[in-house]
Structure formats: C-alpha cells, structure tokens
Amino acid sequence: MKGLKVLDLLTQAPQPMGVTEVAQAMGLVKSNAHRVLQTLVAAGYATPVGDGGRYRPTLKLWSMGVQVAGSGDLRQFAAPVLSRLRDNTGETAFLALLDADHVTYVEIQSSAHALRVHTAVGARLPAHGTAAGKVLLAFDDAAAQVLPDDRSLERFTPKTLDDPAALRAEFRKIRTQQWAVNRGEFREEISGLAVPVFDAQQRVIASTGISGPTERFRPAAIKEWLPLVVQAGAELSRMMGAPR
C-alpha cells in the first residue's frame, strides 16, 4: 500500500521528486522513502532522472491500463484525428509520450505509400533523436535540466544533435515556434514533424505529428504539412481539455 501511495505521488507531481521530498510528503523517514522508491524502480514503475537522485513514473501503468481497457481511451481519441492527418499528408501519423529520456509511440496510423516508416505501437526511441521526442523534452523543464553538461549524448547519424548546449538551444527554438522537425537525426532515411498536445492545465502531455522517408521531407513539403500537423495537435489538445 505504501508503494502505491508513493507511486500515486510521483504520478501527480509536476516534476521528478527526490527522496527528501517524497519522505516529507508521505511522512516517512528518508531511508524508508528510498527503499520504496528503489522497489518501484526494480518493478519498472519508476525511473531515476539523471544523477540528482530524483525519480519519475514510467509508462508501465499506462501500458497495463491499455491492456485492461482494450485499446485505451487515449488511443481511441487519437485514432480518427491521426487518420485524417495521415490522409491529408500521405505520411504516417503518430501520437507519442515521453518516458524518461525516450519517447514511446502509443498510436500509429500508417501511410499508404509503399515506401513508408514502419513504426509499431509501443516502439520506444531515444527522445533527442526524434521530432516527437524533441517536442516533449523542450516542454519538460525537468527533463531538459538533467541533460549532461560534461559529455555528449549518443550520436546516431551525422545529423544527431548530441551536444547538450546545442540541444538546449534547439529546445528554446521549439518552445517559441511550438513545433519540431527531425531530418535524419535518428535514422538518416527517416524524418519527422511534431507538435505538442496540451491538457486542461496547459501542460504538454504528448506529441503528435508525421514521419516518413527523408527524401519526401523537403522544406517545401514541411511548410505545406505544418498547418495540418498544428491543426491535429490543436484538436487533440481540445479533446484533452485544453482551452480553445
């Protein structure tokens, strides 16, 4: 029961929590709070954030909820919006959530093109190498703060932004324009375009967008698709209770 209460606390917190914060909020001694957190980590329900002794929940509860509820409300809400986005752009449309330093794709509507991106629901990719992940990191202050200052991130292609300073500058740009693009940063042959999805408290809870072969993601095409992706993001945000 104590572990469930701590997990609920982490889920409700606006940012990752440290052992001391958990102990104070739950009325526990620090050693007990640390033990509970380690139990949640071992079970896959929580994950450490950086090296600062802070913790955040994982998507395991969401995954379990989807299994219990069938396709899940979030996917049911998103599917028709993503279907229209796919049809209007011709590219694979997605809905994604941030999971620590990775992004998990929770709904996919695949392109009808013979040459297309094959991404499965549940696929988990490094956030800093994708448009979906960069949007989510840009709007997550806690995630951005734990980027290492003294070492590069993993580099997947020559276009990967692996320098933390350059990535933070990219995040500032994304927050201003409210969209992100990836042209071959995780796989050279794959590119993407993503926007944030907001909830009723104006928090970014997901990202949505399109992905496809890099050869089709030319600047003119991205400019043409951007209003359609923004429209899909706004529609999903309204469904999540965001102000119009």
Side-chain angles (χ1 to χ4, degrees):
M1 182 65 70
K2 190 180 298 181
L4 291 176
K5 290 181 178 179
V6 171
L7 180 57
D8 184 61
L9 177 68
L10 293 178
T11 303
Q12 299 297 323
Q15 58 187 12
M17 298 184 69
V19 175
T20 300
E21 293 172 305
V22 171
Q24 291 175 345
M26 298 297 299
L28 302 172
V29 297
K30 288 179 63 176
S31 59
N32 284 347
H34 184 265
R35 185 162 52 250
V36 172
L37 286 165
Q38 290 304 309
T39 299
L40 291 174
V41 170
Y45 292 102
T47 185
V49 178
D51 301 321
R54 305 181 74 80
Y55 299 82
R56 69 189 306 164
T58 69
L59 292 179
K60 186 171 182 178
L61 281 178
W62 178 86
S63 178
M64 292 171 64
V66 167
Q67 293 175 26
V68 171
S71 59
D73 287 344
L74 186 58
R75 294 181 63 192
Q76 289 179 358
F77 280 133
V81 178
L82 298 184
S83 293
R84 287 193 296 274
L85 181 59
R86 174 202 58 201
D87 294 344
N88 290 335
T89 63
E91 302 298 342
T92 294
F94 61 78
L95 180 73
L97 303 179
L98 187 65
D99 186 6
D101 58 354
H102 282 65
V103 62
T104 297
Y105 293 83
V106 297
E107 177 60 12
I108 298 286
Q109 294 291 324
S110 296
S111 168
H113 284 297
L115 182 61
R116 62 182 183 270
V117 173
H118 295 277
T119 303
V121 170
R124 191 169 180 266
L125 301 178
H128 72 282
T130 65
K134 287 195 295 182
V135 162
L136 292 167
L137 289 172
F139 283 89
D140 189 315
D141 292 333
Q145 288 170 5
V146 300
L147 289 175
D149 290 315
D150 56 349
R151 60 182 173 83
S152 297
L153 288 90
E154 186 172 357
R155 188 175 182 85
F156 306 106
T157 78
K159 295 184 178 181
T160 304
L161 286 177
D162 60 342
D163 176 64
L167 200 54
R168 288 191 178 93
E170 177 83 348
F171 291 163
R172 290 192 292 271
K173 177 181 177 182
I174 291 169
R175 288 180 72 102
T176 297
Q177 65 188 20
Q178 300 211 347
W179 56 273
V181 66
N182 150 44
R183 296 198 77 247
E185 294 170 37
F186 179 63
R187 294 286 184 264
E188 288 191 78
E189 68 276 13
I190 298 174
S191 292
L193 175 63
V195 300
V197 176
F198 296 89
D199 67 7
Q201 286 72 48
Q202 285 292 287
R203 296 173 302 190
V204 173
I205 58 170
S207 63
T208 190
I210 55 174
S211 59
T214 296
E215 64 187 52
R216 292 205 295 264
F217 274 67
R218 302 178 188 276
I222 292 172
K223 184 178 180 180
E224 177 184 347
W225 292 331
L226 180 58
L228 299 171
V229 176
V230 169
Q231 181 181 355
E235 187 172 353
L236 288 171
S237 295
R238 288 193 296 272
M239 291 179 176
M240 296 298 111
R244 294 180 179 272

